[in-house]
Amino acid sequence: MTNFNLNRLVPAYVREFEPYIPSKPDEELKKLYGCRNLYRLNNNENPLGPPPGAQEVIRAFSPPRGAVYPSGDSYYLREAIGRLHGIDPEQVVVGNGANEVIAFVVKAFCQPGDNIITADKTFAVYEWVATFSGIEARLVPLKQERFDDQAMLARVDENTKALFICNPNNPSGTYWDKETLLRFLDSLDGKQIVVVDEAYFEFVENDDYPDGITLIKDYPNLIVFRTFSKMYGIAGLRIGYLAADAAVADMIRRTCVVYSVNGIAQEAALACLNDNTGHIAGTRALVRESRDYLRRELTRLKLPVIAGEGNYLVVKLPGSDTLAYRKLMREGVMIRPMTGFRYPNHIRVTLSRMEAMEAFVAALKKILNM
Ligand SMILES: *Cc1c(COP(=O)(O)O)cnc(C)c1O
């Protein structure tokens, strides 16, 4: 045998990291749970799919182009994103989903011994990327379901490199208004990177909700994430981006793996931005109707609801969320159990078509004997 010693080669922070287990493909799940149909209410996908222009781009993609490398820096897409926000295309870094962009940022700013600060009950990828990179993730409890700005500031020390704010928060739907975000940025005074993840930006209609990208000119330590996975309905193509000060973006670009963003995704994303068929308005209307309906029905069932912005809401169940997941799967409804988000006994439900919402309510009543 060889002297191969796997453990010796792998850093402890990788060895000890508990990997995320993705769910099985729908067809396997249907067999496993014995259901004919499956409503996917677990990933906050847009049931309307991509806007028509993006659908056309996907259909028209010429197969021989599969042999050709895409633009390595999403050239035309960055130009369009720059125009959309009135910023220089050099300020934009595109990734294979916003998830990849999170990794770019952690790689660019953090080394073992450093820490990042975020909330305990939020999108888990910030914490995961930090942890398996040997970076401490300091998790500050939410306060009344909101990111607690004062408590986060209190955890900052000389090894803190970045603070991650999910705005609006997935899963609680709460957000910081412009005043709160500005106060937070002023308190940090440019000494750390502030990341504002605006994955659900296009769903928020309130006037006091800040567009982080407009603040970058005044706060060069600010990085804003956006994605094409949620409102724009191309989660399967994997594309998202960050906007930052040009010098910050230049540092981050050094950590990118070139060609990680495929050509269909770049073209479809461009078509999403050019949509003029009211795709966003239509999606917002659908989400609003479904949120009102679910809130009403769940309140009638005396189940506490945490609902705010975004195309999802959280329900507190009388018992185990993981057990409810399995029972709901047998009824053909896939939701997200929230134990992994540190919300035991809670589930998150994507706001989708009314037909799916009605199926969810009927299945929930059945499994809870209501
Ligand atoms: C879905 C989501 C993302 C990541 O989306 P990608 O599909 O990787 O672009 C990032 N942040 C939050 C809060 C999300 O919910």
Side-chain angles (χ1 to χ4, degrees):
M1 276 305 293
T2 67
N3 285 316
F4 178 53
N5 180 342
L6 181 60
N7 282 342
R8 190 183 63 81
L9 298 173
V10 181
Y13 53 78
V14 174
R15 247 186 287 132
E16 287 158 17
F17 184 77
E18 211 173 298
Y20 171 73
I21 302 170
S23 68
K24 291 196 168 73
D26 286 12
E27 290 314 309
E28 301 303 312
L29 290 172
K30 284 188 209 165
K31 270 186 259 167
L32 196 60
Y33 289 98
C35 50
R36 274 198 311 275
N37 279 315
L38 192 57
Y39 289 110
R40 297 176 53 87
L41 305 178
N42 63 326
N43 268 345
N44 302 341
E45 293 153 352
N46 187 337
L48 300 182
Q55 301 210 9
E56 186 48 37
V57 162
I58 295 165
R59 247 190 310 271
F61 191 82
S62 146
R65 289 194 53 206
V68 180
Y69 278 99
S71 164
D73 60 357
S74 303
Y75 187 90
Y76 291 121
L77 178 60
R78 283 189 305 106
E79 282 195 333
I81 292 169
R83 270 195 307 278
L84 175 69
H85 300 297
I87 58 176
D88 193 294
E90 294 299 312
Q91 293 182 253
V92 178
V93 181
V94 181
N96 191 269
N99 271 313
E100 192 185 42
V101 166
I102 297 171
F104 293 162
V105 171
V106 171
K107 275 188 269 186
F109 293 100
C110 302
Q111 53 190 332
D114 289 343
N115 67 71
I116 64 144
I117 298 176
T118 188
D120 59 342
K121 295 170 178 175
T122 187
F123 193 58
V125 179
Y126 325 126
E127 175 193 348
W128 292 342
V129 173
T131 306
F132 66 57
S133 306
I135 316 300
E136 181 195 355
R138 299 187 169 177
L139 306 181
V140 176
L142 295 183
K143 188 176 174 183
Q144 291 167 337
E145 311 301 342
R146 296 179 66 216
F147 269 67
D148 184 344
D149 52 344
Q150 294 307 315
M152 288 180 78
L153 292 171
R155 296 296 308 275
V156 172
D157 66 18
E158 67 277 16
N159 296 322
T160 303
K161 289 294 182 67
L163 298 98
F164 286 77
I165 318 297
C166 188
N167 209 41
N169 189 33
N170 173 9
S172 64
T174 54
Y175 69 92
W176 280 0
D177 61 15
K178 187 168 181 183
E179 193 189 323
T180 306
L181 178 59
L182 288 178
R183 193 171 13 141
F184 187 75
L185 287 161
D186 287 334
S187 302
L188 288 169
D189 193 27
K191 288 196 283 291
Q192 287 80 24
I193 293 292
V194 175
V195 176
V196 179
D197 182 347
E198 297 180 346
Y200 299 93
F201 177 87
E202 298 83 1
F203 291 94
V204 188
E205 299 181 65
N206 301 346
D207 290 337
D208 61 351
Y209 173 68
D211 174 346
I213 297 179
T214 65
L215 305 177
I216 292 169
K217 59 182 187 322
D218 296 323
Y219 297 92
N221 59 324
L222 176 62
I223 299 174
V224 178
F225 292 167
R226 298 282 178 90
T227 180
F228 289 96
S229 295
K230 305 291 161 55
M231 175 59 83
Y232 291 114
I234 52 172
L237 299 184
R238 312 304 304 126
I239 185 161
Y241 64 94
L242 64 79
D245 177 74
V248 171
D250 180 57
M251 288 297 172
I252 294 170
R253 236 183 318 267
R254 295 163 203 228
T255 70
C256 300
V257 177
V258 75
Y259 300 126
S260 73
V261 185
N262 72 76
I264 306 186
Q266 293 181 32
E267 282 186 35
L270 194 53
C272 288
L273 297 181
N274 290 332
D275 175 64
N276 58 9
T277 67
H279 181 261
I280 292 183
T283 304
R284 284 175 171 174
L286 177 147
V287 165
R288 221 179 293 124
E289 183 186 12
S290 298
R291 186 188 292 113
D292 291 347
Y293 166 79
L294 271 194
R295 216 189 244 143
R296 207 166 50 237
E297 291 296 315
L298 296 167
T299 305
R300 195 173 290 159
L301 297 175
K302 306 221 161 25
L303 296 172
V305 175
I306 305 169
E309 306 310 312
N311 61 339
Y312 47 85
L313 60 70
V314 172
V315 192
K316 181 162 194 276
L317 301 180
S320 160
D321 52 318
T322 47
L323 181 61
Y325 168 83
R326 293 196 294 275
K327 289 183 172 176
L328 287 168
M329 283 300 288
R330 279 186 223 122
E331 305 299 319
V333 178
M334 179 158 49
I335 51 74
R336 173 73 57 149
M338 287 278 102
T339 293
F341 275 69
R342 301 186 176 84
Y343 274 105
N345 299 343
H346 290 68
I347 58 173
R348 190 191 65 201
V349 186
T350 301
L351 300 170
S352 189
R353 289 186 196 282
M354 281 302 289
E355 173 198 326
M357 300 292 89
E358 285 162 6
F360 164 69
V361 170
L364 192 64
K365 281 183 183 165
K366 184 169 168 193
I367 70 157
L368 297 177
N369 299 313
M370 287 168 139

